[in-house]
Amino acid sequence: MPLSFGIFGKTVAVLIAVAFALWLIFTYVFATEEVADEEAERVGAIEMIVDTA
C-alpha cells in the first residue's frame, strides 16, 4: 500500500489537521468561559445549610 496519496491526499490531511486544531482552540475558549461564569456566580454567594430535622 502506498504511503503517498498525491496532492489530493495532502490537501485533505492538512485540512483535517487545521480543522482539528481550530476545534481544540474553539472548545478550549468556550470551556474556559463556562468555568469562569460558574466561578463568577459563586463569588459572593452565601452557602446555605438546610436542616431537614
Side-chain angles (χ1 to χ4, degrees):
M1 178 156 88
L3 295 176
S4 176
F5 297 104
I7 190 75
F8 179 74
K10 290 176 188 176
T11 304
V12 170
V14 169
L15 288 176
I16 289 172
V18 169
F20 181 67
L22 290 175
W23 176 74
L24 287 176
I25 293 168
F26 183 78
T27 55
Y28 175 77
V29 167
F30 284 103
T32 53
E33 283 184 5
E34 289 177 4
V35 171
D37 289 343
E38 290 173 3
E39 289 179 3
E41 290 175 358
R42 287 185 286 185
V43 172
I46 299 172
E47 187 174 326
M48 202 166 191
I49 299 172
V50 178
D51 189 12
T52 57

mmCIF file of all heavy atoms in Angstrom:
data_model
loop_
_atom_site.group_PDB
_atom_site.id
_atom_site.type_symbol
_atom_site.label_atom_id
_atom_site.label_comp_id
_atom_site.label_asym_id
_atom_site.label_seq_id
_atom_site.Cartn_x
_atom_site.Cartn_y
_atom_site.Cartn_z
ATOM 1 N N MET A 1 0.861 -1.174 0.000
ATOM 2 C CA MET A 1 0.000 0.000 0.000
ATOM 3 C C MET A 1 0.909 1.240 0.000
ATOM 4 O O MET A 1 1.798 1.368 0.816
ATOM 5 C CB MET A 1 -0.876 -0.005 1.261
ATOM 6 C CG MET A 1 -1.766 1.201 1.350
ATOM 7 S SD MET A 1 -3.219 0.960 2.342
ATOM 8 C CE MET A 1 -2.662 1.389 3.944
ATOM 9 N N PRO A 2 0.642 2.156 -0.886
ATOM 10 C CA PRO A 2 1.488 3.351 -0.966
ATOM 11 C C PRO A 2 1.237 4.290 0.209
ATOM 12 O O PRO A 2 0.138 4.388 0.738
ATOM 13 C CB PRO A 2 1.067 4.000 -2.284
ATOM 14 C CG PRO A 2 -0.310 3.519 -2.518
ATOM 15 C CD PRO A 2 -0.383 2.139 -1.928
ATOM 16 N N LEU A 3 2.279 4.972 0.603
ATOM 17 C CA LEU A 3 2.159 5.930 1.692
ATOM 18 C C LEU A 3 1.842 7.330 1.189
ATOM 19 O O LEU A 3 1.581 8.223 1.977
ATOM 20 C CB LEU A 3 3.452 5.954 2.511
ATOM 21 C CG LEU A 3 3.777 4.655 3.243
ATOM 22 C CD1 LEU A 3 5.128 4.777 3.948
ATOM 23 C CD2 LEU A 3 2.703 4.326 4.253
ATOM 24 N N SER A 4 1.864 7.527 -0.105
ATOM 25 C CA SER A 4 1.580 8.833 -0.675
ATOM 26 C C SER A 4 0.224 8.785 -1.384
ATOM 27 O O SER A 4 -0.049 7.883 -2.169
ATOM 28 C CB SER A 4 2.661 9.213 -1.686
ATOM 29 O OG SER A 4 2.321 10.431 -2.304
ATOM 30 N N PHE A 5 -0.614 9.761 -1.091
ATOM 31 C CA PHE A 5 -1.930 9.828 -1.708
ATOM 32 C C PHE A 5 -2.037 10.977 -2.699
ATOM 33 O O PHE A 5 -3.127 11.361 -3.095
ATOM 34 C CB PHE A 5 -3.008 9.952 -0.632
ATOM 35 C CG PHE A 5 -3.075 8.769 0.277
ATOM 36 C CD1 PHE A 5 -2.567 8.844 1.561
ATOM 37 C CD2 PHE A 5 -3.622 7.572 -0.152
ATOM 38 C CE1 PHE A 5 -2.621 7.760 2.408
ATOM 39 C CE2 PHE A 5 -3.680 6.480 0.686
ATOM 40 C CZ PHE A 5 -3.172 6.565 1.973
ATOM 41 N N GLY A 6 -0.911 11.564 -3.048
ATOM 42 C CA GLY A 6 -0.898 12.629 -4.032
ATOM 43 C C GLY A 6 -1.304 13.957 -3.442
ATOM 44 O O GLY A 6 -1.409 14.141 -2.233
ATOM 45 N N ILE A 7 -1.544 14.905 -4.326
ATOM 46 C CA ILE A 7 -1.882 16.264 -3.905
ATOM 47 C C ILE A 7 -3.229 16.308 -3.188
ATOM 48 O O ILE A 7 -3.410 17.051 -2.221
ATOM 49 C CB ILE A 7 -1.845 17.240 -5.115
ATOM 50 C CG1 ILE A 7 -1.955 18.686 -4.628
ATOM 51 C CG2 ILE A 7 -2.953 16.933 -6.086
ATOM 52 C CD1 ILE A 7 -0.697 19.195 -4.014
ATOM 53 N N PHE A 8 -4.177 15.487 -3.642
ATOM 54 C CA PHE A 8 -5.498 15.456 -3.003
ATOM 55 C C PHE A 8 -5.386 14.943 -1.565
ATOM 56 O O PHE A 8 -5.979 15.511 -0.644
ATOM 57 C CB PHE A 8 -6.460 14.573 -3.813
ATOM 58 C CG PHE A 8 -7.826 14.473 -3.198
ATOM 59 C CD1 PHE A 8 -8.707 15.535 -3.267
ATOM 60 C CD2 PHE A 8 -8.226 13.312 -2.550
ATOM 61 C CE1 PHE A 8 -9.969 15.454 -2.696
ATOM 62 C CE2 PHE A 8 -9.472 13.221 -1.971
ATOM 63 C CZ PHE A 8 -10.346 14.284 -2.049
ATOM 64 N N GLY A 9 -4.620 13.895 -1.365
ATOM 65 C CA GLY A 9 -4.441 13.332 -0.032
ATOM 66 C C GLY A 9 -3.746 14.301 0.903
ATOM 67 O O GLY A 9 -4.099 14.412 2.076
ATOM 68 N N LYS A 10 -2.748 15.019 0.378
ATOM 69 C CA LYS A 10 -2.051 16.008 1.195
ATOM 70 C C LYS A 10 -2.994 17.130 1.600
ATOM 71 O O LYS A 10 -2.975 17.592 2.742
ATOM 72 C CB LYS A 10 -0.863 16.576 0.432
ATOM 73 C CG LYS A 10 0.265 15.590 0.247
ATOM 74 C CD LYS A 10 1.366 16.206 -0.593
ATOM 75 C CE LYS A 10 2.420 15.163 -0.946
ATOM 76 N NZ LYS A 10 3.458 15.697 -1.827
ATOM 77 N N THR A 11 -3.811 17.560 0.665
ATOM 78 C CA THR A 11 -4.761 18.643 0.941
ATOM 79 C C THR A 11 -5.761 18.220 2.008
ATOM 80 O O THR A 11 -6.052 18.980 2.938
ATOM 81 C CB THR A 11 -5.500 19.048 -0.347
ATOM 82 O OG1 THR A 11 -4.534 19.390 -1.329
ATOM 83 C CG2 THR A 11 -6.431 20.204 -0.116
ATOM 84 N N VAL A 12 -6.289 17.023 1.881
ATOM 85 C CA VAL A 12 -7.255 16.527 2.860
ATOM 86 C C VAL A 12 -6.598 16.400 4.230
ATOM 87 O O VAL A 12 -7.184 16.786 5.245
ATOM 88 C CB VAL A 12 -7.850 15.182 2.396
ATOM 89 C CG1 VAL A 12 -8.662 14.523 3.502
ATOM 90 C CG2 VAL A 12 -8.708 15.381 1.163
ATOM 91 N N ALA A 13 -5.379 15.886 4.281
ATOM 92 C CA ALA A 13 -4.682 15.726 5.558
ATOM 93 C C ALA A 13 -4.422 17.074 6.223
ATOM 94 O O ALA A 13 -4.615 17.223 7.436
ATOM 95 C CB ALA A 13 -3.364 14.984 5.332
ATOM 96 N N VAL A 14 -4.020 18.064 5.453
ATOM 97 C CA VAL A 14 -3.772 19.398 6.013
ATOM 98 C C VAL A 14 -5.072 20.023 6.496
ATOM 99 O O VAL A 14 -5.119 20.621 7.584
ATOM 100 C CB VAL A 14 -3.056 20.300 4.981
ATOM 101 C CG1 VAL A 14 -3.045 21.743 5.435
ATOM 102 C CG2 VAL A 14 -1.649 19.795 4.731
ATOM 103 N N LEU A 15 -6.139 19.889 5.734
ATOM 104 C CA LEU A 15 -7.429 20.438 6.140
ATOM 105 C C LEU A 15 -7.929 19.785 7.426
ATOM 106 O O LEU A 15 -8.475 20.468 8.306
ATOM 107 C CB LEU A 15 -8.456 20.281 5.030
ATOM 108 C CG LEU A 15 -8.264 21.196 3.823
ATOM 109 C CD1 LEU A 15 -9.292 20.865 2.737
ATOM 110 C CD2 LEU A 15 -8.374 22.649 4.221
ATOM 111 N N ILE A 16 -7.751 18.481 7.542
ATOM 112 C CA ILE A 16 -8.179 17.788 8.759
ATOM 113 C C ILE A 16 -7.353 18.258 9.949
ATOM 114 O O ILE A 16 -7.890 18.497 11.040
ATOM 115 C CB ILE A 16 -8.084 16.259 8.569
ATOM 116 C CG1 ILE A 16 -9.179 15.801 7.597
ATOM 117 C CG2 ILE A 16 -8.206 15.529 9.896
ATOM 118 C CD1 ILE A 16 -9.074 14.352 7.192
ATOM 119 N N ALA A 17 -6.054 18.414 9.770
ATOM 120 C CA ALA A 17 -5.192 18.870 10.862
ATOM 121 C C ALA A 17 -5.562 20.287 11.294
ATOM 122 O O ALA A 17 -5.631 20.586 12.497
ATOM 123 C CB ALA A 17 -3.732 18.799 10.434
ATOM 124 N N VAL A 18 -5.827 21.162 10.335
ATOM 125 C CA VAL A 18 -6.215 22.545 10.655
ATOM 126 C C VAL A 18 -7.575 22.571 11.343
ATOM 127 O O VAL A 18 -7.769 23.282 12.333
ATOM 128 C CB VAL A 18 -6.207 23.413 9.379
ATOM 129 C CG1 VAL A 18 -6.857 24.764 9.626
ATOM 130 C CG2 VAL A 18 -4.785 23.581 8.866
ATOM 131 N N ALA A 19 -8.513 21.781 10.846
ATOM 132 C CA ALA A 19 -9.842 21.729 11.463
ATOM 133 C C ALA A 19 -9.756 21.211 12.893
ATOM 134 O O ALA A 19 -10.430 21.728 13.794
ATOM 135 C CB ALA A 19 -10.769 20.843 10.638
ATOM 136 N N PHE A 20 -8.921 20.216 13.131
ATOM 137 C CA PHE A 20 -8.759 19.678 14.481
ATOM 138 C C PHE A 20 -8.154 20.727 15.417
ATOM 139 O O PHE A 20 -8.608 20.893 16.546
ATOM 140 C CB PHE A 20 -7.880 18.426 14.438
ATOM 141 C CG PHE A 20 -7.685 17.787 15.777
ATOM 142 C CD1 PHE A 20 -8.747 17.187 16.442
ATOM 143 C CD2 PHE A 20 -6.442 17.794 16.380
ATOM 144 C CE1 PHE A 20 -8.571 16.603 17.685
ATOM 145 C CE2 PHE A 20 -6.255 17.210 17.621
ATOM 146 C CZ PHE A 20 -7.321 16.611 18.275
ATOM 147 N N ALA A 21 -7.150 21.435 14.947
ATOM 148 C CA ALA A 21 -6.525 22.474 15.767
ATOM 149 C C ALA A 21 -7.525 23.583 16.089
ATOM 150 O O ALA A 21 -7.611 24.053 17.235
ATOM 151 C CB ALA A 21 -5.302 23.044 15.053
ATOM 152 N N LEU A 22 -8.306 24.000 15.104
ATOM 153 C CA LEU A 22 -9.317 25.034 15.348
ATOM 154 C C LEU A 22 -10.388 24.551 16.315
ATOM 155 O O LEU A 22 -10.868 25.309 17.161
ATOM 156 C CB LEU A 22 -9.945 25.473 14.023
ATOM 157 C CG LEU A 22 -9.037 26.271 13.098
ATOM 158 C CD1 LEU A 22 -9.738 26.538 11.770
ATOM 159 C CD2 LEU A 22 -8.610 27.574 13.748
ATOM 160 N N TRP A 23 -10.767 23.272 16.198
ATOM 161 C CA TRP A 23 -11.759 22.701 17.108
ATOM 162 C C TRP A 23 -11.224 22.700 18.536
ATOM 163 O O TRP A 23 -11.954 23.018 19.476
ATOM 164 C CB TRP A 23 -12.113 21.291 16.650
ATOM 165 C CG TRP A 23 -13.052 20.586 17.575
ATOM 166 C CD1 TRP A 23 -14.391 20.814 17.724
ATOM 167 C CD2 TRP A 23 -12.707 19.562 18.509
ATOM 168 N NE1 TRP A 23 -14.893 19.976 18.687
ATOM 169 C CE2 TRP A 23 -13.890 19.196 19.176
ATOM 170 C CE3 TRP A 23 -11.520 18.910 18.815
ATOM 171 C CZ2 TRP A 23 -13.904 18.206 20.150
ATOM 172 C CZ3 TRP A 23 -11.546 17.933 19.785
ATOM 173 C CH2 TRP A 23 -12.728 17.585 20.438
ATOM 174 N N LEU A 24 -9.958 22.341 18.724
ATOM 175 C CA LEU A 24 -9.366 22.359 20.057
ATOM 176 C C LEU A 24 -9.351 23.771 20.643
ATOM 177 O O LEU A 24 -9.692 23.971 21.812
ATOM 178 C CB LEU A 24 -7.941 21.803 20.017
ATOM 179 C CG LEU A 24 -7.811 20.300 19.833
ATOM 180 C CD1 LEU A 24 -6.334 19.936 19.714
ATOM 181 C CD2 LEU A 24 -8.448 19.553 20.980
ATOM 182 N N ILE A 25 -8.977 24.747 19.837
ATOM 183 C CA ILE A 25 -8.953 26.134 20.295
ATOM 184 C C ILE A 25 -10.361 26.606 20.632
ATOM 185 O O ILE A 25 -10.596 27.226 21.677
ATOM 186 C CB ILE A 25 -8.298 27.041 19.233
ATOM 187 C CG1 ILE A 25 -6.816 26.690 19.090
ATOM 188 C CG2 ILE A 25 -8.483 28.506 19.575
ATOM 189 C CD1 ILE A 25 -6.149 27.311 17.887
ATOM 190 N N PHE A 26 -11.313 26.318 19.770
ATOM 191 C CA PHE A 26 -12.705 26.726 19.956
ATOM 192 C C PHE A 26 -13.286 26.145 21.240
ATOM 193 O O PHE A 26 -13.880 26.857 22.052
ATOM 194 C CB PHE A 26 -13.524 26.269 18.742
ATOM 195 C CG PHE A 26 -14.961 26.683 18.773
ATOM 196 C CD1 PHE A 26 -15.332 27.971 18.447
ATOM 197 C CD2 PHE A 26 -15.953 25.768 19.106
ATOM 198 C CE1 PHE A 26 -16.665 28.351 18.469
ATOM 199 C CE2 PHE A 26 -17.281 26.140 19.126
ATOM 200 C CZ PHE A 26 -17.636 27.432 18.804
ATOM 201 N N THR A 27 -13.093 24.834 21.455
ATOM 202 C CA THR A 27 -13.646 24.211 22.661
ATOM 203 C C THR A 27 -12.920 24.694 23.905
ATOM 204 O O THR A 27 -13.539 24.833 24.960
ATOM 205 C CB THR A 27 -13.569 22.677 22.580
ATOM 206 O OG1 THR A 27 -12.223 22.283 22.317
ATOM 207 C CG2 THR A 27 -14.484 22.150 21.491
ATOM 208 N N TYR A 28 -11.629 24.968 23.817
ATOM 209 C CA TYR A 28 -10.890 25.480 24.979
ATOM 210 C C TYR A 28 -11.411 26.851 25.386
ATOM 211 O O TYR A 28 -11.616 27.124 26.562
ATOM 212 C CB TYR A 28 -9.396 25.551 24.661
ATOM 213 C CG TYR A 28 -8.589 26.192 25.766
ATOM 214 C CD1 TYR A 28 -8.283 25.496 26.922
ATOM 215 C CD2 TYR A 28 -8.143 27.508 25.657
ATOM 216 C CE1 TYR A 28 -7.555 26.079 27.945
ATOM 217 C CE2 TYR A 28 -7.418 28.103 26.672
ATOM 218 C CZ TYR A 28 -7.125 27.383 27.804
ATOM 219 O OH TYR A 28 -6.417 27.978 28.805
ATOM 220 N N VAL A 29 -11.665 27.710 24.413
ATOM 221 C CA VAL A 29 -12.143 29.067 24.708
ATOM 222 C C VAL A 29 -13.508 29.014 25.371
ATOM 223 O O VAL A 29 -13.735 29.655 26.401
ATOM 224 C CB VAL A 29 -12.187 29.918 23.421
ATOM 225 C CG1 VAL A 29 -12.961 31.200 23.638
ATOM 226 C CG2 VAL A 29 -10.781 30.212 22.937
ATOM 227 N N PHE A 30 -14.430 28.231 24.824
ATOM 228 C CA PHE A 30 -15.768 28.208 25.391
ATOM 229 C C PHE A 30 -15.829 27.420 26.684
ATOM 230 O O PHE A 30 -16.639 27.726 27.562
ATOM 231 C CB PHE A 30 -16.779 27.681 24.373
ATOM 232 C CG PHE A 30 -17.113 28.719 23.340
ATOM 233 C CD1 PHE A 30 -16.574 28.643 22.072
ATOM 234 C CD2 PHE A 30 -17.922 29.784 23.643
ATOM 235 C CE1 PHE A 30 -16.854 29.612 21.125
ATOM 236 C CE2 PHE A 30 -18.209 30.761 22.714
ATOM 237 C CZ PHE A 30 -17.678 30.668 21.455
ATOM 238 N N ALA A 31 -14.993 26.405 26.859
ATOM 239 C CA ALA A 31 -14.971 25.663 28.119
ATOM 240 C C ALA A 31 -14.448 26.560 29.232
ATOM 241 O O ALA A 31 -14.974 26.533 30.348
ATOM 242 C CB ALA A 31 -14.113 24.412 27.990
ATOM 243 N N THR A 32 -13.426 27.366 28.952
ATOM 244 C CA THR A 32 -12.900 28.242 29.995
ATOM 245 C C THR A 32 -13.884 29.364 30.310
ATOM 246 O O THR A 32 -13.945 29.822 31.450
ATOM 247 C CB THR A 32 -11.539 28.830 29.589
ATOM 248 O OG1 THR A 32 -11.650 29.452 28.316
ATOM 249 C CG2 THR A 32 -10.470 27.757 29.537
ATOM 250 N N GLU A 33 -14.662 29.799 29.338
ATOM 251 C CA GLU A 33 -15.671 30.824 29.611
ATOM 252 C C GLU A 33 -16.759 30.281 30.519
ATOM 253 O O GLU A 33 -17.233 30.972 31.417
ATOM 254 C CB GLU A 33 -16.292 31.336 28.306
ATOM 255 C CG GLU A 33 -15.408 32.293 27.547
ATOM 256 C CD GLU A 33 -16.093 32.850 26.311
ATOM 257 O OE1 GLU A 33 -17.285 32.567 26.111
ATOM 258 O OE2 GLU A 33 -15.417 33.561 25.562
ATOM 259 N N GLU A 34 -17.167 29.033 30.306
ATOM 260 C CA GLU A 34 -18.196 28.440 31.154
ATOM 261 C C GLU A 34 -17.695 28.292 32.581
ATOM 262 O O GLU A 34 -18.422 28.557 33.535
ATOM 263 C CB GLU A 34 -18.626 27.082 30.600
ATOM 264 C CG GLU A 34 -19.430 27.178 29.322
ATOM 265 C CD GLU A 34 -19.790 25.824 28.762
ATOM 266 O OE1 GLU A 34 -19.471 24.803 29.409
ATOM 267 O OE2 GLU A 34 -20.377 25.777 27.686
ATOM 268 N N VAL A 35 -16.464 27.863 32.752
ATOM 269 C CA VAL A 35 -15.895 27.718 34.096
ATOM 270 C C VAL A 35 -15.786 29.084 34.760
ATOM 271 O O VAL A 35 -16.105 29.232 35.949
ATOM 272 C CB VAL A 35 -14.519 27.020 34.028
ATOM 273 C CG1 VAL A 35 -13.830 27.054 35.373
ATOM 274 C CG2 VAL A 35 -14.677 25.595 33.536
ATOM 275 N N ALA A 36 -15.380 30.088 34.014
ATOM 276 C CA ALA A 36 -15.269 31.433 34.572
ATOM 277 C C ALA A 36 -16.643 31.965 34.978
ATOM 278 O O ALA A 36 -16.776 32.626 36.021
ATOM 279 C CB ALA A 36 -14.617 32.367 33.561
ATOM 280 N N ASP A 37 -17.668 31.685 34.172
ATOM 281 C CA ASP A 37 -19.021 32.118 34.518
ATOM 282 C C ASP A 37 -19.507 31.439 35.795
ATOM 283 O O ASP A 37 -20.130 32.067 36.648
ATOM 284 C CB ASP A 37 -19.985 31.827 33.371
ATOM 285 C CG ASP A 37 -19.764 32.732 32.181
ATOM 286 O OD1 ASP A 37 -19.103 33.782 32.346
ATOM 287 O OD2 ASP A 37 -20.236 32.390 31.072
ATOM 288 N N GLU A 38 -19.218 30.138 35.934
ATOM 289 C CA GLU A 38 -19.638 29.428 37.132
ATOM 290 C C GLU A 38 -18.925 29.968 38.368
ATOM 291 O O GLU A 38 -19.535 30.114 39.422
ATOM 292 C CB GLU A 38 -19.361 27.933 36.984
ATOM 293 C CG GLU A 38 -20.267 27.249 35.978
ATOM 294 C CD GLU A 38 -19.865 25.810 35.729
ATOM 295 O OE1 GLU A 38 -18.916 25.329 36.392
ATOM 296 O OE2 GLU A 38 -20.488 25.177 34.875
ATOM 297 N N GLU A 39 -17.640 30.255 38.243
ATOM 298 C CA GLU A 39 -16.895 30.794 39.377
ATOM 299 C C GLU A 39 -17.373 32.201 39.724
ATOM 300 O O GLU A 39 -17.438 32.573 40.894
ATOM 301 C CB GLU A 39 -15.400 30.791 39.079
ATOM 302 C CG GLU A 39 -14.795 29.403 39.070
ATOM 303 C CD GLU A 39 -13.317 29.429 38.752
ATOM 304 O OE1 GLU A 39 -12.754 30.534 38.590
ATOM 305 O OE2 GLU A 39 -12.729 28.344 38.656
ATOM 306 N N ALA A 40 -17.735 32.986 38.715
ATOM 307 C CA ALA A 40 -18.218 34.339 38.965
ATOM 308 C C ALA A 40 -19.557 34.313 39.706
ATOM 309 O O ALA A 40 -19.842 35.186 40.527
ATOM 310 C CB ALA A 40 -18.352 35.102 37.656
ATOM 311 N N GLU A 41 -20.378 33.320 39.424
ATOM 312 C CA GLU A 41 -21.658 33.211 40.106
ATOM 313 C C GLU A 41 -21.475 32.842 41.571
ATOM 314 O O GLU A 41 -22.244 33.249 42.420
ATOM 315 C CB GLU A 41 -22.535 32.166 39.423
ATOM 316 C CG GLU A 41 -23.036 32.595 38.063
ATOM 317 C CD GLU A 41 -23.808 31.483 37.359
ATOM 318 O OE1 GLU A 41 -23.914 30.387 37.926
ATOM 319 O OE2 GLU A 41 -24.275 31.727 36.245
ATOM 320 N N ARG A 42 -20.430 32.060 41.868
ATOM 321 C CA ARG A 42 -20.209 31.622 43.247
ATOM 322 C C ARG A 42 -19.539 32.682 44.099
ATOM 323 O O ARG A 42 -19.625 32.632 45.321
ATOM 324 C CB ARG A 42 -19.368 30.353 43.252
ATOM 325 C CG ARG A 42 -20.172 29.133 42.790
ATOM 326 C CD ARG A 42 -19.351 27.912 42.923
ATOM 327 N NE ARG A 42 -18.373 27.943 41.838
ATOM 328 C CZ ARG A 42 -17.528 26.983 41.570
ATOM 329 N NH1 ARG A 42 -17.493 25.912 42.319
ATOM 330 N NH2 ARG A 42 -16.690 27.080 40.553
ATOM 331 N N VAL A 43 -18.899 33.654 43.491
ATOM 332 C CA VAL A 43 -18.218 34.692 44.266
ATOM 333 C C VAL A 43 -19.281 35.551 44.950
ATOM 334 O O VAL A 43 -20.194 36.068 44.324
ATOM 335 C CB VAL A 43 -17.324 35.564 43.349
ATOM 336 C CG1 VAL A 43 -16.770 36.751 44.121
ATOM 337 C CG2 VAL A 43 -16.212 34.726 42.762
ATOM 338 N N GLY A 44 -19.187 35.666 46.237
ATOM 339 C CA GLY A 44 -20.140 36.471 46.986
ATOM 340 C C GLY A 44 -21.405 35.734 47.359
ATOM 341 O O GLY A 44 -22.259 36.288 48.039
ATOM 342 N N ALA A 45 -21.532 34.512 46.929
ATOM 343 C CA ALA A 45 -22.719 33.743 47.272
ATOM 344 C C ALA A 45 -22.584 33.208 48.697
ATOM 345 O O ALA A 45 -21.499 32.848 49.136
ATOM 346 C CB ALA A 45 -22.910 32.591 46.298
ATOM 347 N N ILE A 46 -23.680 33.164 49.384
ATOM 348 C CA ILE A 46 -23.689 32.652 50.750
ATOM 349 C C ILE A 46 -24.183 31.217 50.694
ATOM 350 O O ILE A 46 -25.258 30.932 50.163
ATOM 351 C CB ILE A 46 -24.599 33.495 51.654
ATOM 352 C CG1 ILE A 46 -24.082 34.927 51.702
ATOM 353 C CG2 ILE A 46 -24.708 32.880 53.040
ATOM 354 C CD1 ILE A 46 -25.012 35.882 52.402
ATOM 355 N N GLU A 47 -23.390 30.322 51.280
ATOM 356 C CA GLU A 47 -23.778 28.920 51.287
ATOM 357 C C GLU A 47 -24.794 28.710 52.388
ATOM 358 O O GLU A 47 -24.593 29.085 53.541
ATOM 359 C CB GLU A 47 -22.554 28.050 51.517
ATOM 360 C CG GLU A 47 -22.844 26.585 51.365
ATOM 361 C CD GLU A 47 -21.590 25.743 51.450
ATOM 362 O OE1 GLU A 47 -20.542 26.209 50.991
ATOM 363 O OE2 GLU A 47 -21.671 24.631 51.998
ATOM 364 N N MET A 48 -25.896 28.086 52.032
ATOM 365 C CA MET A 48 -26.962 27.883 52.997
ATOM 366 C C MET A 48 -27.063 26.408 53.326
ATOM 367 O O MET A 48 -27.140 25.568 52.437
ATOM 368 C CB MET A 48 -28.279 28.375 52.391
ATOM 369 C CG MET A 48 -29.314 28.704 53.354
ATOM 370 S SD MET A 48 -30.573 29.629 52.507
ATOM 371 C CE MET A 48 -31.480 30.166 53.886
ATOM 372 N N ILE A 49 -27.056 26.088 54.606
ATOM 373 C CA ILE A 49 -27.168 24.695 55.048
ATOM 374 C C ILE A 49 -28.618 24.449 55.423
ATOM 375 O O ILE A 49 -29.197 25.161 56.250
ATOM 376 C CB ILE A 49 -26.229 24.431 56.243
ATOM 377 C CG1 ILE A 49 -24.782 24.689 55.823
ATOM 378 C CG2 ILE A 49 -26.419 23.010 56.727
ATOM 379 C CD1 ILE A 49 -23.807 24.640 56.969
ATOM 380 N N VAL A 50 -29.200 23.430 54.820
ATOM 381 C CA VAL A 50 -30.597 23.108 55.069
ATOM 382 C C VAL A 50 -30.663 21.960 56.067
ATOM 383 O O VAL A 50 -30.093 20.905 55.848
ATOM 384 C CB VAL A 50 -31.312 22.722 53.760
ATOM 385 C CG1 VAL A 50 -32.747 22.333 54.018
ATOM 386 C CG2 VAL A 50 -31.218 23.857 52.762
ATOM 387 N N ASP A 51 -31.357 22.188 57.156
ATOM 388 C CA ASP A 51 -31.536 21.161 58.177
ATOM 389 C C ASP A 51 -32.954 20.650 58.075
ATOM 390 O O ASP A 51 -33.919 21.385 58.315
ATOM 391 C CB ASP A 51 -31.259 21.747 59.567
ATOM 392 C CG ASP A 51 -31.223 20.678 60.635
ATOM 393 O OD1 ASP A 51 -31.183 19.475 60.276
ATOM 394 O OD2 ASP A 51 -31.233 21.041 61.825
ATOM 395 N N THR A 52 -33.114 19.391 57.703
ATOM 396 C CA THR A 52 -34.454 18.847 57.480
ATOM 397 C C THR A 52 -35.055 18.249 58.754
ATOM 398 O O THR A 52 -36.167 17.745 58.730
ATOM 399 C CB THR A 52 -34.408 17.759 56.384
ATOM 400 O OG1 THR A 52 -33.484 16.745 56.782
ATOM 401 C CG2 THR A 52 -33.993 18.364 55.072
ATOM 402 N N ALA A 53 -34.350 18.287 59.872
ATOM 403 C CA ALA A 53 -34.862 17.670 61.106
ATOM 404 C C ALA A 53 -35.778 18.549 61.874
ATOM 405 O O ALA A 53 -36.091 19.598 61.865
ATOM 406 C CB ALA A 53 -33.697 17.275 62.006
#
